[in-house]
Amino acid sequence: MTPIDLRSDTVTLPTNAMREAMAVASVGDDVYGEDPTIHLLEERMAEVLGKEAGLFIASGTMGNLVAMLAHAGRGDEVILGDLSHTFLYEVGGISALGSIHSCQLPNLPDGTMDIDQMRLAMRDPDDPHAPPTRMIVLENTHNRCGGIALTADYCKQVAELAAEYQLAVHLDGARLFNAAIALGCPITDLTESFDSVTVCLSKGLGAPVGSVLCGSRAFIDRAHRLRKMVGGGMRQAGILAAAGLFAMEHHIDRLAEDHKNAQILAHGVAEIEGLTCPQACIPSSGAWTNLVYFTVDGAAIGRPEFDAVKLSSQLKQRGVLAHALGSDGKQMRMVTHIDIDSSDIETALAQLRSCLSGT
Ligand SMILES: Cc1ncc(COP(=O)(O)O)c(C=O)c1O
């Protein structure tokens, strides 16, 4: 039996129609600039995001790295959230490979960082003890803050602050289409405040590989050279870009379905004794999308030893895959995506109930 895989929206498999689009794609050597499908994807994404140019990149991690290398140099400082993907899960690439220093500000539960705290974090450019503050990085949707969407208004406030200090602003928009769908706003409202934006094709959009980095022509020219430097020059990768183009055409509007499934899941989880799901009860200035985080409290059901790791392993035996996270062993994440339908959600909830009640 195929498991119900709620570990991530990166586990999706290309549909037959997507595979067909990949099979018939025109390709060429993209390091020679000769892959027409990659050009098309880069142009299409740049147009959709309201930027001058785009660059096809192997992954979200590489897109963020290349963007930061293009904006900041050795010894510069970047302001980012302490729960941001870039800080937590990108192997410290900006420091290891770019000698870029990071200033981590606390992410608030709605994925934002406090604007006043950001202002206080700005370094005095005349102080020889301080690394110069060069850029700010936001994440939308915010993964570790529950997949919450940051509003255009907040992004604008950050951009205004950045302009005051002449900083670049980069958006890790791995799931930016989810944010636009959840907020019901044009995606350009969410990109206009940024000098550069990375979006992933391989998450909710269901493509097997790839991200696109967008920004001004001059920025993308710099990023192009840096992509080659980190080994990201790909050859006949138009077969991958074709999957991205297909995803952009067919898989954006349907994200609303993933959000609906996530809401049903969150509310169902919140009703189970021993589980707490903040997003089922906390209203937010942004909006919830396709990630569902919850905590497991074994003591509340008289089984103090029961934690997220145990729950994850019991669920696996029952054909439901989900990640246990965090050092306290209490957090759990489930993610809805194109390969999950409403009956999978019902099954997952039934299995959760059964694990928690010990039956
Ligand atoms: C918010 C966010 N940014 C960036 C990435 C990195 O993307 P990739 O796995 O393609 O490197 C992820 C991956 O899950 C993510 O959730």
Side-chain angles (χ1 to χ4, degrees), residues 48-50 176-177 180 185-192 199:
V48 167
L49 299 189
L176 191 62
F177 286 101
C185 68
I187 197 158
T188 46
D189 286 4
L190 300 176
T191 59
E192 65 186 0
V199 285

PDB file of all heavy atoms in Angstrom, residues 48-50 176-177 180 185-192 199:
ATOM      1  N   VAL A  48       5.897  37.042 -14.299  1.00  0.00           N
ATOM      2  CA  VAL A  48       4.870  36.786 -13.278  1.00  0.00           C
ATOM      3  C   VAL A  48       5.217  37.493 -11.961  1.00  0.00           C
ATOM      4  O   VAL A  48       4.348  38.025 -11.272  1.00  0.00           O
ATOM      5  CB  VAL A  48       4.698  35.256 -13.064  1.00  0.00           C
ATOM      6  CG1 VAL A  48       3.890  34.951 -11.826  1.00  0.00           C
ATOM      7  CG2 VAL A  48       4.052  34.627 -14.288  1.00  0.00           C
ATOM      8  N   LEU A  49       6.507  37.512 -11.621  1.00  0.00           N
ATOM      9  CA  LEU A  49       6.915  38.130 -10.344  1.00  0.00           C
ATOM     10  C   LEU A  49       7.162  39.635 -10.483  1.00  0.00           C
ATOM     11  O   LEU A  49       7.491  40.303  -9.493  1.00  0.00           O
ATOM     12  CB  LEU A  49       8.179  37.456  -9.797  1.00  0.00           C
ATOM     13  CG  LEU A  49       8.096  35.957  -9.483  1.00  0.00           C
ATOM     14  CD1 LEU A  49       9.347  35.505  -8.738  1.00  0.00           C
ATOM     15  CD2 LEU A  49       6.866  35.578  -8.676  1.00  0.00           C
ATOM     16  N   GLY A  50       7.043  40.149 -11.697  1.00  0.00           N
ATOM     17  CA  GLY A  50       7.212  41.594 -11.901  1.00  0.00           C
ATOM     18  C   GLY A  50       8.670  42.039 -11.800  1.00  0.00           C
ATOM     19  O   GLY A  50       8.953  43.150 -11.352  1.00  0.00           O
ATOM     20  N   LEU A 176       6.153  30.956  -2.321  1.00  0.00           N
ATOM     21  CA  LEU A 176       5.507  32.259  -2.495  1.00  0.00           C
ATOM     22  C   LEU A 176       4.143  32.166  -3.179  1.00  0.00           C
ATOM     23  O   LEU A 176       3.238  32.946  -2.889  1.00  0.00           O
ATOM     24  CB  LEU A 176       6.426  33.200  -3.298  1.00  0.00           C
ATOM     25  CG  LEU A 176       5.967  34.651  -3.317  1.00  0.00           C
ATOM     26  CD1 LEU A 176       5.938  35.240  -1.908  1.00  0.00           C
ATOM     27  CD2 LEU A 176       6.850  35.492  -4.221  1.00  0.00           C
ATOM     28  N   PHE A 177       3.997  31.201  -4.082  1.00  0.00           N
ATOM     29  CA  PHE A 177       2.674  31.061  -4.726  1.00  0.00           C
ATOM     30  C   PHE A 177       1.624  30.652  -3.696  1.00  0.00           C
ATOM     31  O   PHE A 177       0.478  31.087  -3.776  1.00  0.00           O
ATOM     32  CB  PHE A 177       2.733  30.065  -5.899  1.00  0.00           C
ATOM     33  CG  PHE A 177       3.430  30.641  -7.105  1.00  0.00           C
ATOM     34  CD1 PHE A 177       4.743  30.324  -7.398  1.00  0.00           C
ATOM     35  CD2 PHE A 177       2.770  31.534  -7.943  1.00  0.00           C
ATOM     36  CE1 PHE A 177       5.397  30.876  -8.490  1.00  0.00           C
ATOM     37  CE2 PHE A 177       3.406  32.100  -9.035  1.00  0.00           C
ATOM     38  CZ  PHE A 177       4.716  31.766  -9.318  1.00  0.00           C
ATOM     39  N   ALA A 180       0.521  33.900  -2.030  1.00  0.00           N
ATOM     40  CA  ALA A 180      -0.370  34.732  -2.856  1.00  0.00           C
ATOM     41  C   ALA A 180      -1.779  34.145  -2.906  1.00  0.00           C
ATOM     42  O   ALA A 180      -2.777  34.866  -2.805  1.00  0.00           O
ATOM     43  CB  ALA A 180       0.214  34.881  -4.260  1.00  0.00           C
ATOM     44  N   CYS A 185      -4.058  37.799  -3.054  1.00  0.00           N
ATOM     45  CA  CYS A 185      -3.542  39.038  -3.645  1.00  0.00           C
ATOM     46  C   CYS A 185      -2.683  38.704  -4.863  1.00  0.00           C
ATOM     47  O   CYS A 185      -2.204  37.585  -5.005  1.00  0.00           O
ATOM     48  CB  CYS A 185      -2.725  39.821  -2.621  1.00  0.00           C
ATOM     49  SG  CYS A 185      -1.185  39.020  -2.155  1.00  0.00           S
ATOM     50  N   PRO A 186      -2.486  39.679  -5.759  1.00  0.00           N
ATOM     51  CA  PRO A 186      -1.573  39.422  -6.882  1.00  0.00           C
ATOM     52  C   PRO A 186      -0.178  39.131  -6.340  1.00  0.00           C
ATOM     53  O   PRO A 186       0.246  39.779  -5.368  1.00  0.00           O
ATOM     54  CB  PRO A 186      -1.577  40.747  -7.666  1.00  0.00           C
ATOM     55  CG  PRO A 186      -2.720  41.536  -7.148  1.00  0.00           C
ATOM     56  CD  PRO A 186      -3.041  41.043  -5.776  1.00  0.00           C
ATOM     57  N   ILE A 187       0.524  38.208  -6.975  1.00  0.00           N
ATOM     58  CA  ILE A 187       1.839  37.828  -6.433  1.00  0.00           C
ATOM     59  C   ILE A 187       2.801  39.010  -6.477  1.00  0.00           C
ATOM     60  O   ILE A 187       3.704  39.120  -5.645  1.00  0.00           O
ATOM     61  CB  ILE A 187       2.383  36.560  -7.139  1.00  0.00           C
ATOM     62  CG1 ILE A 187       3.513  35.949  -6.306  1.00  0.00           C
ATOM     63  CG2 ILE A 187       2.839  36.846  -8.559  1.00  0.00           C
ATOM     64  CD1 ILE A 187       3.788  34.499  -6.556  1.00  0.00           C
ATOM     65  N   THR A 188       2.602  39.914  -7.409  1.00  0.00           N
ATOM     66  CA  THR A 188       3.508  41.076  -7.511  1.00  0.00           C
ATOM     67  C   THR A 188       3.403  41.973  -6.263  1.00  0.00           C
ATOM     68  O   THR A 188       4.355  42.662  -5.932  1.00  0.00           O
ATOM     69  CB  THR A 188       3.218  41.896  -8.782  1.00  0.00           C
ATOM     70  OG1 THR A 188       1.806  42.071  -8.880  1.00  0.00           O
ATOM     71  CG2 THR A 188       3.741  41.215 -10.024  1.00  0.00           C
ATOM     72  N   ASP A 189       2.251  41.938  -5.577  1.00  0.00           N
ATOM     73  CA  ASP A 189       2.150  42.698  -4.316  1.00  0.00           C
ATOM     74  C   ASP A 189       3.172  42.170  -3.303  1.00  0.00           C
ATOM     75  O   ASP A 189       3.620  42.899  -2.425  1.00  0.00           O
ATOM     76  CB  ASP A 189       0.760  42.547  -3.673  1.00  0.00           C
ATOM     77  CG  ASP A 189      -0.299  43.348  -4.412  1.00  0.00           C
ATOM     78  OD1 ASP A 189       0.041  43.954  -5.462  1.00  0.00           O
ATOM     79  OD2 ASP A 189      -1.455  43.362  -3.955  1.00  0.00           O
ATOM     80  N   LEU A 190       3.480  40.873  -3.421  1.00  0.00           N
ATOM     81  CA  LEU A 190       4.384  40.241  -2.456  1.00  0.00           C
ATOM     82  C   LEU A 190       5.841  40.281  -2.906  1.00  0.00           C
ATOM     83  O   LEU A 190       6.729  39.862  -2.178  1.00  0.00           O
ATOM     84  CB  LEU A 190       3.964  38.780  -2.219  1.00  0.00           C
ATOM     85  CG  LEU A 190       2.550  38.576  -1.674  1.00  0.00           C
ATOM     86  CD1 LEU A 190       2.229  37.091  -1.568  1.00  0.00           C
ATOM     87  CD2 LEU A 190       2.386  39.258  -0.313  1.00  0.00           C
ATOM     88  N   THR A 191       6.081  40.730  -4.137  1.00  0.00           N
ATOM     89  CA  THR A 191       7.472  40.752  -4.631  1.00  0.00           C
ATOM     90  C   THR A 191       8.008  42.167  -4.820  1.00  0.00           C
ATOM     91  O   THR A 191       9.210  42.364  -4.883  1.00  0.00           O
ATOM     92  CB  THR A 191       7.596  40.024  -5.991  1.00  0.00           C
ATOM     93  OG1 THR A 191       6.720  40.676  -6.928  1.00  0.00           O
ATOM     94  CG2 THR A 191       7.241  38.562  -5.892  1.00  0.00           C
ATOM     95  N   GLU A 192       7.100  43.145  -4.912  1.00  0.00           N
ATOM     96  CA  GLU A 192       7.564  44.490  -5.309  1.00  0.00           C
ATOM     97  C   GLU A 192       8.517  45.128  -4.299  1.00  0.00           C
ATOM     98  O   GLU A 192       9.306  45.992  -4.663  1.00  0.00           O
ATOM     99  CB  GLU A 192       6.376  45.421  -5.605  1.00  0.00           C
ATOM    100  CG  GLU A 192       5.523  45.721  -4.395  1.00  0.00           C
ATOM    101  CD  GLU A 192       4.274  46.527  -4.745  1.00  0.00           C
ATOM    102  OE1 GLU A 192       4.075  46.859  -5.924  1.00  0.00           O
ATOM    103  OE2 GLU A 192       3.500  46.815  -3.801  1.00  0.00           O
ATOM    104  N   VAL A 199      11.958  31.573  -5.942  1.00  0.00           N
ATOM    105  CA  VAL A 199      10.751  30.744  -5.786  1.00  0.00           C
ATOM    106  C   VAL A 199      11.091  29.313  -6.183  1.00  0.00           C
ATOM    107  O   VAL A 199      11.882  29.091  -7.095  1.00  0.00           O
ATOM    108  CB  VAL A 199       9.550  31.227  -6.656  1.00  0.00           C
ATOM    109  CG1 VAL A 199       8.909  32.455  -6.093  1.00  0.00           C
ATOM    110  CG2 VAL A 199       9.959  31.445  -8.079  1.00  0.00           C
TER     111      VAL A 199
END
